[in-house]
Amino acid sequence: MLLGLGAVGAFLAVDFGAVAYANKWIGPQAELTRQTFIDGFRRVYGLHPGFRRNHAKGVAVTGRFDSSGNGSELSRAAVFGPGHSSVTGRFSLSGGDPFMADTAAAARGLGLAFAFPDGTQWRTAMLNLPVFPDNSPQGFYDRLLASKTVPATGKPDPAAMSAFLTAHPETAAAMAVIKQHAPTRGFADSTFSSLTTFYLVNDAGRHTPVRWSFVPLQAALPAPPGSDNALFDALIRQIRGVPLQWRLMLTVGEPGDPVLDATLPWPSDRRTIDAGTLTLTGVKTERRGNARDINFDPLVLPDGIEPSDDPLLSARSAVYAASYRARTGEPKFPSAVQVDEVAQ
Ligand code: HEM
């Protein structure tokens, strides 16, 4: 089944990338193409064949999602109806270096692929942030280049970063929001959010803007000191001992809430719906047939969930497809996180 998911992923990735291309969010007549991004990741992080161009360091997980049924008020998608679905996922750290040392400063990612018996799928790639730093593909690209490490200092060039923030006040404002939410101890106690807005569509055809979050039901084990894989090691130890759980909370937007700009938070008093529980029980080193070979394209959506016009979504779909195609055609090297080497 996992191999099947990978194969379907390849097909859908190409398909959706083509749609984005046709829409010219990025394309030959626009300044940015998917190849510009792929080249940009290479300029900033170097070439690491076989690995994702971003979120290169990661570990594969498996589990299930038990729906509460509450989400079916807003969406006819199978994931929100009664029952459960199998889930394949991947925890990751942002950045294109697959051998980076774990740091609290790197955004933590969670990609999830839900598979239903009728063959439909839902994929989502989320972060442990309250908002996204950019509201446009150009902003993401400019920030990527500004964050390139200067070899002499091991840090980004402060002048380049300052010029970037002056040109992108939306990122400066988003960074201020992000600073108010210090990262938690580890992966297990992180809230992972869609940040971009989607629409849920119910049987009556009503479209409701939502953002979703997976909210942890456990504390995290402390990260072992002195290990370059401290955050991953703690996650692996914890999941081996006990299933890890997150509650899927749907936050319902109201008229006037921003739906096209992921740098802007929604008011904190918005209605939330507890749509069910994610339970992760398995953790494996990235390898053929597991989450390594899935493209967590945010536009792989089942009937009942639709994208908003946030320009990040179509750009991501096109760039993830290009990253997926590049990495699946390259030789493979062992991932930094080797699950079997983590002590009990
Ligand atoms: C224009 C904006 C963005 C660009 C260009 C971009 C680029 C990328 C690329 C190239 C990958 C690797 C894809 C692969 O090889 O499978 C990736 C992975 C990822 N991205 Fe983005 N990204 C963007 C925005 C976002 C946003 C808004 C989020 C979350 C809210 C996000 C979360 C993630 C996560 C969690 C992964 C890892 C998924 C996995 O494990 O495969 N990204 N991104």
Side-chain angles (χ1 to χ4, degrees):
M1 183 206 82
L2 294 179
L3 275 171
L5 271 182
V8 172
F11 171 73
L12 288 175
V14 172
D15 209 17
F16 279 99
V19 171
Y21 203 57
N23 288 344
K24 298 202 177 62
W25 286 111
I26 53 175
Q29 287 153 39
E31 229 169 83
L32 286 177
T33 66
R34 65 186 88 186
Q35 192 56 43
T36 322
F37 280 91
I38 298 300
D39 294 343
F41 282 113
R42 182 175 181 158
R43 258 169 79 185
V44 173
Y45 296 107
L47 180 62
H48 301 283
F51 290 100
R52 285 162 167 79
R53 272 35 182 178
N54 194 14
H55 289 261
K57 184 175 186 182
V59 69
V61 289
T62 47
R64 59 185 268 158
F65 177 73
D66 290 280
S67 170
S68 66
N70 297 336
S72 57
E73 169 199 340
L74 300 184
S75 172
R76 58 185 180 235
V79 68
F80 299 120
H84 69 271
S85 46
S86 68
V87 174
T88 305
R90 183 172 177 271
F91 286 99
S92 60
L93 288 180
S94 63
D97 176 0
F99 304 104
M100 67 185 273
D102 294 2
T103 90
R108 296 170 200 155
L110 175 60
L112 296 175
F114 298 72
F116 305 99
D118 66 358
T120 56
Q121 299 202 19
W122 175 35
R123 297 187 194 176
T124 177
M126 301 164 288
L127 297 172
N128 70 328
L129 300 178
V131 290
F132 196 64
D134 317 298
N135 64 5
S136 67
Q138 186 71 54
F140 182 98
Y141 181 72
D142 293 348
R143 183 168 59 87
L144 171 69
L145 294 193
S147 65
K148 183 173 165 51
T149 302
V150 177
T153 61
K155 292 187 176 154
D157 175 0
M161 190 44 84
S162 158
F164 163 76
L165 289 172
T166 304
H168 290 278
E170 74 282 3
T171 303
M175 292 296 196
V177 176
I178 291 169
K179 271 207 186 106
Q180 287 161 14
H181 295 75
T184 57
R185 184 188 250 180
F187 283 107
D189 63 351
S190 291
T191 295
F192 293 96
S193 302
S194 68
L195 307 182
T196 38
T197 303
F198 292 79
Y199 287 97
L200 297 189
V201 187
N202 67 8
D203 278 329
R206 185 159 57 93
H207 285 58
T208 307
V210 296
R211 291 174 171 179
W212 54 74
S213 293
F214 283 79
V215 179
L217 297 184
Q218 62 276 313
L221 288 181
S227 164
D228 277 354
N229 299 334
L231 290 172
F232 286 101
D233 288 357
L235 171 73
I236 291 162
R237 284 208 189 107
Q238 192 161 0
I239 207 168
R240 269 185 192 148
V242 48
L244 298 185
Q245 294 192 304
W246 281 260
R247 194 146 279 160
L248 170 53
M249 303 301 295
L250 304 171
T251 300
V252 182
E254 290 189 7
D257 288 345
V259 294
L260 301 179
D261 188 335
T263 63
L264 299 175
W266 284 356
S268 57
D269 62 355
R270 291 292 173 260
R271 180 183 170 214
T272 56
I273 296 173
D274 172 356
T277 306
L278 170 72
T279 304
L280 297 178
T281 46
V283 59
K284 291 265 187 281
T285 303
E286 292 180 287
R287 64 172 69 99
R288 182 192 292 275
N290 66 25
R292 188 194 72 178
D293 295 336
I294 295 181
N295 170 3
F296 292 95
D297 178 338
L299 290 185
V300 176
L301 300 167
D303 178 48
I305 308 179
E306 292 183 4
S308 66
D309 285 334
D310 184 330
L312 291 181
L313 284 173
S314 45
R316 286 174 73 188
S317 187
V319 178
Y320 288 25
S323 172
Y324 180 87
R325 271 198 297 270
R327 64 187 171 85
T328 49
E330 293 165 344
K332 296 286 176 289
F333 299 92
S335 296
V337 183
Q338 291 292 320
V339 170
D340 293 343
E341 290 173 9
V342 177
Q344 291 296 331

